[in-house]
Amino acid sequence: MQYFKTALAAAAATAILAGAALAQGKPQEIKIGIATFLSGPASVFGVPAKAAAEMIAEDLNKKGGIGGVPVKLSFIDEGAGGEALVSNYRRIVQDDKVDATFAAISSGSCNQLVPVAEDLKVMNFMWDCGAASILEVKKYRYNFRTQANGTPEMLAVLIYLLKTKPDFKTIAVVNQDYAWGRESWEIFSTALKAMKPDVQVVAELFPKFGAPDYSTEVSRLLALRPDVVLTTAWGGDLDTLVRQAGQRGLLQQSTFVLGIGESSIQRLGKDLPEGLIVGARGDHWFLHPEKKNDPAFKAFNEAFKAKTGAWPIYPVYHMAQAFKALQTAYDKAIKANGGNWPTREQVVDATAGTEFATGFGRPVTLRPEDNQGLEAQLVGVTKSFPGYDFKLLDNMMIFDPRVITNPAGVRSVEWLKTLKPEFAKMDVPTFKQ
Amino acid sequence: MTRRIKPITTAAVIFFLVSAVAPLFVSSWATLFALILAKGIVVLGIVLLLQAGQVSFGHAMFFAIGAYTSAFWGKYIGGGDILLYLVLGGISSTVFGLIVGLFVVRYREIFFGMLNLAFSMVLWSLLEKMFPYTNGADGIRVARPGLLGFVFTPETFQYVILYVSLLIAAAAFYGVQRYLESPLGHMLRAIKSNETRLEYLGMSARRVLLIGYVISAFLGGIGGTLVAIIQQIATPEFGFWTKSGEFVFIAILGGGAHAFGAFAGAAMFEWVRFYAAAHLADSWQLILGVVLIVIILYAPNGLIGLRQRYRQSGKRGR
Amino acid sequence: MNSTLAILAVLDGISYAALVFLVSVGLSLIFGVLRVVNVAHGSLYAFGAYLAATFSIKVAPLSPWLTYPALLAASVVIGVVCGGFIERFLLRPLYGRDDVLQLLITFAAFMIMDNLQRLIWGVQPIFAAEPLKLLPNVTVFGVNYTSYQVILLPGVALMTLFGLRYFLRHTLAGAVIMAVTEDREASTSIGIDARRVYFVTFIIGASLAALGGALASPTTSLVPGMGADMIVLSFAVAATAGLGQIEGTALTALMIGLTRAFVIYLQPEFEVLVPYLLMVLVLLVRPYGLFGATQVRKI
């Protein structure tokens, strides 16, 4: 019983402190709670993103913080499981009183946390999760997505495929069996049916998330000989699939499309052959053709490489975007408030409709109708270049988000069904590496 | 026996009072305590089976059934009410408990545990794989229900669900204790101590165990329903074997000999996980594992046993 | 489905079954002798895989062929160090106590090892395919297979199966283990040190789990959480076969491997369900498993 007494005492103390903190004015710090994967398979995204967040915050504070106020980060682990995630999220919002949260990576986590954020009236940036449906079914006030969603991401990859390999007749899909794997295929296949109805889908494989072995799937695809194999898998699953397929010649037999493969390129190293189509969930590439000579961009990439041993991948840039969005929103809110420190609600008001320069790619706009971010998409094809022990992207196309994102208020799938074959003939700038 | 129960009952009353009062001071504790109570209800079912010497390594299936009953209702029928969810979760888990129970009560010990595990893994794979219906690994959202027609703001709701959980937990605790003291409860214990004698007395051990099993399935379903409402989601993870392991873990942690062990264990478990996850995000499992080993090796009767051991050694010293 | 595809499915099934067998047989052996379900078995598998990858990455620059002994070395190290530790310091104090405590303490070991694995090897997927790349591919009906998967793995599994059979039936140490399994009291009374037998058996079982992991490591990405899936799969195989049944485990692993492969060709949606559904069906009819003898343990 002893610890209950202690707990009661702690409770009383917290209540007093909370009362004292109500005094207005410029706060001592802006507290940001970040939900990211620190354990489980998705920590391949979460851990680099955490490193990026720490780097960015340190840099930001060195420059005086946001509106002269330093930021302070706290992290919660998405990998700890639903219960721990929600209770920890509530803890940082209700007890630690964070000013904004960035949550989360997995669409499953977003599905859980978005309504909680709305309930608790705390501004939340969905900084990495991609399920389009979250913002399509309901209009939120406190939740924003500071990047694109699955629809433009998959559509960009599909249009790239249609432009570079217009004559394919058969396609197979191997996706992880969870919301992203299923939803990305629904987007891709719906759009494919609308724009190129003569293509035949020869196999739809959804191996279990985290499956250690794809040998049987590879055998089946080797026997089926599809012209194109699509996968939107990531992390260890994608690595395993690509290596098992490569070892047995499947990568050479069919054209592989790695929907979000940008994050695996460095790890796969020499095991990744040339000629694979790779998407990046946004215009994210550490040698972004429009940015690669920008000193700030180069400095960031090199600092990140020095800190973690690898070049940044898309979740790192997504994390940076969330920070930029927050910074822009605060600056806007301070200005609107006549230079005084804004209330939380004023910051939320200012966030809607914000356009912010990411510094690491093209600017992103938070569409005011549904708080969905409009983010450009980069797709390329793998190619060897001297000086790198992994493949780089070549023949990159950067897609305009306003063209390939479904309009606000129209559900993705409904919109995709209305696309015509001419849609794929849009003009897109191509960049050599 | 009865004399020994009394201080524990006092501890239980204090525990329930603290659960009622402490969250009024720290609002995030409302959810934490609600979770502790809900899980405690599930673990009560494990403790019940432990009386018969049986360990179910698949009890998460009833937990998942309770949770998914609410989720399906919300997804396909819509609307919903805490009370309705609880009734439905209770019914579905009882029905499933009866069906599965009819098979598993024929076996004992490791075979009992194994068959439970097998059933729960089938359920888990179905929840994972039937994507069009269950949304696969991502689970189904459970919209915040009302209670008896009242709709609550999120702030009020966390207290509503806390007190609902508290009420049910207290009732379940009382009910299980009464049950264990009843003739049926004594027969359940006899399965562990001497099943053959039970049969000689003309009792069907299978029937006695089946009744215990169905009650524990019911408790699992109620706990699962509550957790789904608290978390606002039901995922296949609810039925995975590690979840079943966790429930047994909590029962042993608290002490399997007494109904209060369920709540003592749940409080300790969630507390460690909550604060370890907050401060040592990447080693909460490690900490829990070490705690469990220490308990098993040095305090085999669990947390509630610690007190007894302390008292006994004190007496001997005198 | 035509006969070509059927043959492909059989090949896939066999290579999958080989790995599953190695892990399950260790679990089964430990249960047969110690009567303990080792929940940490999946973690030993994962540790074996990670250590094997670490070793192979270290020795590959010297000569890629050294990766084979590295795999073996890793599994022995894990088996002796981790397996030995678990038996000696966690299980031994609990012999004669409630079965559930023994099971739970291995559950605690599982949680700790799962966490340690993240702390030691991190969360980025690790891949060490050298051993796989050394062996050529074989082509069957125009479909490439790695000979590592369709020849080497089944070969090792068969050798393990016959090795274990020989060891248990035709050597003194094996006879001692069998004696303790049959009747602990009687064998102790004739002077057999049951504790030592438990210790050695646990190490053998743990090494087999680690060997399974080590052999799997060239074919797959090593990621956090790989142990949790393996333990229930291997448990399903061992239980379906009948705990303690070595030949039975081999046949069951083959059965589950083949069914799984055919399901992926015909109805991929049901792949995950296969082993567990088989397990329920078998246990309902034969609670002691397909090959388990009824008198193994009744009440």
Side-chain angles (χ1 to χ4, degrees):
Chain A
M1 283 305 104
Q2 186 56 47
Y3 76 90
F4 282 120
K5 279 187 201 154
T6 329
L8 271 176
T14 316
I16 294 164
L17 282 176
L22 280 175
Q24 270 301 333
K26 215 175 202 182
Q28 297 216 311
E29 54 194 17
I30 299 174
K31 292 189 214 163
I32 307 172
I34 299 177
T36 180
F37 275 98
L38 302 175
S39 61
S43 38
V44 296
F45 299 138
V47 171
K50 179 175 186 245
E54 286 163 344
M55 230 175 83
I56 294 165
E58 198 182 313
D59 188 52
L60 195 60
N61 289 342
K62 242 184 251 165
K63 292 177 184 152
I66 295 178
V69 177
V71 297
K72 184 166 174 274
L73 309 182
S74 53
F75 294 92
I76 55 177
D77 180 11
E78 282 185 69
E83 288 161 37
L85 177 65
V86 175
S87 32
N88 272 307
Y89 186 81
R90 284 180 173 276
R91 176 181 55 79
I92 59 163
V93 175
Q94 295 179 307
D95 298 353
D96 301 351
K97 310 250 181 290
V98 295
D99 298 286
T101 60
F102 300 165
I105 291 179
S106 107
S107 294
S109 308
C110 278
N111 262 320
Q112 288 190 53
L113 296 180
V114 161
V116 180
E118 199 72 9
D119 282 358
L120 300 175
K121 299 194 166 49
V122 64
M123 185 161 75
N124 177 47
F125 290 166
M126 288 183 254
W127 66 275
D128 193 54
C129 57
S133 52
I134 301 176
L135 290 177
E136 284 176 352
V137 293
K138 205 175 158 195
K139 166 81 174 104
Y140 290 100
R141 168 165 169 77
Y142 296 92
N143 287 283
F144 301 87
R145 194 188 325 250
T146 50
Q147 27 93 29
N149 64 43
T151 305
E153 288 164 6
M154 292 318 295
L155 199 52
V157 172
L158 173 60
I159 295 174
Y160 190 95
L161 174 69
L162 292 173
K163 280 181 176 299
T164 53
K165 196 177 163 54
D167 299 325
F168 72 99
K169 293 273 173 289
T170 51
I171 186 168
V173 61
V174 190
N175 276 5
Q176 290 150 308
D177 190 18
Y178 79 114
W180 165 248
R182 298 274 182 170
E183 225 179 274
S184 57
W185 172 238
E186 194 190 9
I187 295 167
F188 192 96
S189 59
T190 310
L192 179 65
K193 221 174 281 165
M195 291 193 276
K196 194 169 161 60
D198 58 325
V199 172
Q200 195 196 349
V201 177
V202 292
E204 291 174 274
L205 300 171
F206 291 93
K208 187 175 127 29
F209 186 91
D213 180 52
Y214 299 94
S215 305
T216 315
E217 284 83 0
V218 170
S219 303
R220 199 176 156 197
L221 293 178
L222 280 168
L224 282 170
R225 304 184 161 275
D227 295 334
V228 174
V229 176
L230 167 76
T231 178
T232 62
W234 48 263
D237 292 12
L238 180 64
D239 296 6
T240 307
L241 177 63
V242 165
R243 285 182 163 124
Q244 291 184 346
Q247 187 68 33
R248 295 170 58 186
L250 181 60
L251 296 181
Q252 289 75 26
Q253 181 188 297
S254 306
T255 300
F256 259 68
V257 179
L258 312 183
I260 60 173
E262 181 264 353
S263 55
S264 284
I265 287 182
Q266 297 173 58
R267 262 200 320 274
L268 281 167
K270 292 193 178 65
D271 290 340
L272 193 66
E274 291 194 336
L276 275 69
I277 295 172
V278 171
R281 288 202 67 202
D283 57 334
H284 307 304
W285 179 233
F286 77 103
L287 297 169
H288 193 296
E290 292 170 348
K291 287 278 171 188
K292 65 179 171 187
N293 295 320
D294 176 344
F297 183 63
K298 271 162 79 173
F300 175 81
N301 289 344
E302 266 148 32
F304 188 84
K305 166 103 176 162
K307 180 173 174 173
T308 65
W311 295 108
I313 50 177
Y314 78 75
V316 168
Y317 295 123
H318 277 168
M319 180 58 84
Q321 271 168 231
F323 274 93
K324 288 283 184 203
L326 190 71
Q327 205 176 349
T328 314
Y330 264 94
D331 289 346
K332 225 171 115 185
I334 293 170
K335 212 175 192 182
N337 203 25
N340 295 320
W341 194 257
T343 65
R344 284 177 165 218
E345 295 296 319
Q346 287 172 321
V347 177
V348 176
D349 289 335
T351 309
T354 301
E355 180 184 294
F356 59 96
T358 70
F360 305 138
R362 293 186 181 176
V364 175
T365 308
L366 299 179
R367 187 161 67 185
E369 296 91 337
D370 57 359
N371 295 349
Q372 170 61 52
L374 297 177
E375 181 192 36
Q377 298 293 326
L378 180 150
V379 185
V381 62
T382 55
K383 193 162 187 247
S384 299
F385 285 92
Y388 290 94
D389 55 0
F390 54 88
K391 299 288 178 296
L392 296 184
L393 294 183
D394 196 23
N395 296 338
M396 285 172 277
M397 292 185 192
I398 299 182
F399 293 82
D400 182 349
R402 281 172 295 259
V403 181
I404 57 167
T405 309
N406 53 316
V410 186
R411 299 210 57 169
S412 293
V413 176
E414 299 310 316
W415 179 68
L416 292 169
K417 280 183 191 154
T418 65
L419 298 182
K420 296 280 172 300
E422 294 73 45
F423 189 77
K425 301 198 171 72
M426 64 170 75
D427 272 331
V428 185
T430 307
F431 304 85
K432 287 281 175 197
Q433 177 56 53
Chain B
M1 200 67 201
T2 39
R3 209 184 303 152
R4 233 173 41 194
I5 284 169
K6 272 195 177 152
I8 297 182
T9 314
T10 321
V13 171
I14 295 176
F15 167 78
F16 288 131
L17 284 177
V18 170
S19 321
V21 178
L24 295 174
F25 295 96
V26 185
S27 54
S28 73
W29 282 2
T31 308
L32 180 65
F33 272 98
L35 271 179
I36 290 174
L37 292 162
K39 282 210 174 162
I41 296 169
V42 186
V43 179
L44 261 183
I46 303 276
V47 169
L48 205 130
L49 289 175
L50 277 175
Q51 305 301 313
Q54 307 306 319
V55 184
S56 165
F57 239 75
H59 236 56
M61 71 180 132
F62 302 114
F63 185 73
I65 284 168
Y68 271 91
T69 306
S70 321
F72 283 140
W73 184 277
K75 183 172 175 180
Y76 293 106
I77 297 167
D81 189 278
I82 297 180
L83 215 58
L84 173 76
Y85 282 172
L86 285 168
V87 170
L88 291 172
I91 293 175
S92 59
S93 55
T94 307
V95 171
F96 266 87
L98 190 66
I99 297 169
V100 177
L102 282 172
F103 293 109
V104 297
V105 296
R106 293 188 289 159
Y107 310 113
R108 297 291 176 272
E109 296 177 357
I110 184 70
F111 302 107
F112 177 84
M114 246 162 39
L115 203 57
N116 272 297
L117 174 72
F119 274 110
S120 78
M121 288 308 289
V122 168
L123 179 72
W124 171 80
S125 347
L126 286 173
L127 293 176
E128 271 277 316
K129 267 296 164 185
M130 300 290 114
F131 188 85
Y133 308 103
T134 65
N135 228 1
D138 298 271
I140 305 176
R141 286 205 55 75
V142 179
R144 193 172 48 239
L147 178 62
L148 298 170
F150 293 100
V151 182
F152 304 98
T153 62
E155 290 83 16
T156 334
F157 184 78
Q158 50 176 341
Y159 289 102
V160 170
I161 193 70
L162 168 71
Y163 292 120
V164 169
S165 309
L166 182 62
L167 223 62
I168 299 174
F173 173 70
Y174 178 74
V176 166
Q177 219 169 347
R178 284 294 298 271
Y179 167 73
L180 290 178
E181 284 160 16
S182 74
L184 260 175
H186 284 286
M187 285 189 254
L188 193 69
R189 287 211 180 95
I191 293 178
K192 182 179 187 179
S193 50
N194 196 333
E195 185 168 343
T196 328
R197 190 184 292 169
L198 189 65
E199 296 271 354
Y200 282 155
L201 288 171
M203 310 291 167
S204 159
R206 280 187 193 175
R207 247 181 83 187
V208 171
L209 186 56
L210 183 62
I211 294 170
Y213 190 86
V214 172
I215 295 176
S216 90
F218 168 76
L219 292 171
I222 294 289
T225 309
L226 286 172
V227 171
I229 297 173
I230 298 167
Q231 301 286 355
Q232 305 186 20
I233 199 161
T235 68
E237 210 188 313
F238 281 30
F240 196 52
W241 74 269
T242 49
K243 201 60 148 189
S244 301
E246 197 178 296
F247 291 137
V248 181
F249 177 134
I250 295 173
I252 301 294
L253 186 68
H258 189 277
F260 181 58
F263 294 100
M268 173 89 174
F269 184 89
E270 290 297 321
W271 207 269
V272 170
R273 186 156 89 164
F274 189 64
Y275 282 100
H279 301 293
L280 293 159
D282 42 7
S283 28
W284 60 273
Q285 278 174 299
L286 190 81
I287 294 166
L288 276 175
V290 172
V291 168
L292 182 63
I293 288 181
V294 170
I295 291 279
I296 292 176
L297 290 181
Y298 301 104
N301 295 321
L303 291 174
I304 58 164
L306 279 176
R307 185 192 161 84
Q308 287 164 26
R309 221 163 78 146
Y310 171 71
R311 295 183 103 218
Q312 276 162 7
S313 61
K315 268 179 204 152
R316 238 178 277 137
R318 250 171 266 154
Chain C
M1 188 174 207
N2 56 37
S3 57
T4 318
L5 287 185
I7 290 170
L8 298 182
V10 166
L11 284 174
D12 289 318
I14 289 175
S15 72
Y16 183 78
L19 273 183
V20 173
F21 165 72
L22 284 173
V23 184
S24 322
V25 78
L27 188 74
S28 200
L29 182 73
I30 291 175
F31 183 85
V33 178
L34 287 82
R35 303 272 148 199
V36 170
V37 176
N38 177 25
V39 182
H41 210 67
S43 313
L44 293 164
Y45 165 84
F47 268 53
Y50 269 106
L51 193 69
T54 311
F55 282 2
S56 331
I57 291 168
K58 284 252 149 58
V59 300
L62 301 176
S63 156
W65 291 103
L66 282 177
T67 52
Y68 282 98
L71 297 186
L72 209 60
S75 38
V76 174
V77 168
I78 293 296
V80 172
V81 175
C82 297
F85 183 90
I86 293 174
E87 200 283 337
R88 176 64 190 80
F89 296 103
L90 299 184
L91 286 173
R92 193 172 292 178
L94 294 178
Y95 292 134
R97 297 257 294 276
D98 226 333
D99 285 353
V100 60
L101 293 183
Q102 300 172 10
L103 192 145
L104 259 189
I105 209 155
T106 60
F107 183 74
F110 155 77
M111 291 180 76
I112 294 176
M113 288 178 80
D114 213 41
N115 203 149
L116 279 181
Q117 174 195 315
R118 270 206 317 272
L119 295 178
I120 300 173
W121 285 287
V123 293
Q124 296 290 332
I126 295 181
F127 206 89
E130 283 302 332
L132 181 88
K133 287 179 182 163
L134 281 177
L135 301 181
N137 279 1
V138 289
T139 306
V140 182
F141 296 118
V143 170
N144 285 327
Y145 281 93
T146 61
S147 42
Y148 183 88
Q149 280 173 296
V150 293
I151 298 171
L152 185 98
L153 289 185
V156 174
L158 276 179
M159 271 159 56
T160 308
L161 172 62
F162 289 109
L164 268 180
R165 264 182 71 120
Y166 180 82
F167 172 70
L168 291 175
R169 307 261 157 81
H170 301 283
T171 64
L172 182 63
V176 169
I177 290 180
M178 291 300 272
V180 175
T181 314
E182 292 287 319
D183 191 332
R184 187 182 174 180
E185 281 80 27
S187 52
T188 320
S189 65
I190 57 166
I192 294 177
D193 182 357
R195 283 171 151 203
R196 235 185 99 185
V197 172
Y198 284 9
F199 187 63
V200 171
T201 309
F202 199 90
I203 287 182
I204 296 177
S207 305
L208 285 170
L211 181 65
L215 288 173
S217 70
T219 67
T220 183
S221 300
L222 310 184
V223 288
M226 63 185 291
D229 285 331
M230 197 52 175
I231 173 64
V232 334
L233 180 64
S234 61
F235 186 75
V237 171
T240 309
L243 286 163
Q245 303 299 316
I246 288 165
E247 293 86 349
T249 307
L251 287 172
T252 310
L254 193 61
M255 185 175 86
I256 286 182
L258 290 177
T259 318
R260 175 185 174 271
F262 277 96
V263 166
I264 291 182
Y265 278 89
L266 300 172
Q267 265 309 328
E269 290 297 307
F270 293 103
E271 179 216 329
V272 184
L273 193 62
V274 168
Y276 308 115
L277 202 58
L278 275 176
M279 180 179 174
V280 167
L281 295 179
V282 167
L283 291 186
L284 282 181
V285 186
R286 291 182 60 95
Y288 305 100
L290 283 177
F291 305 92
T294 324
Q295 72 274 19
V296 172
R297 205 180 212 199
K298 176 94 173 115
I299 299 176

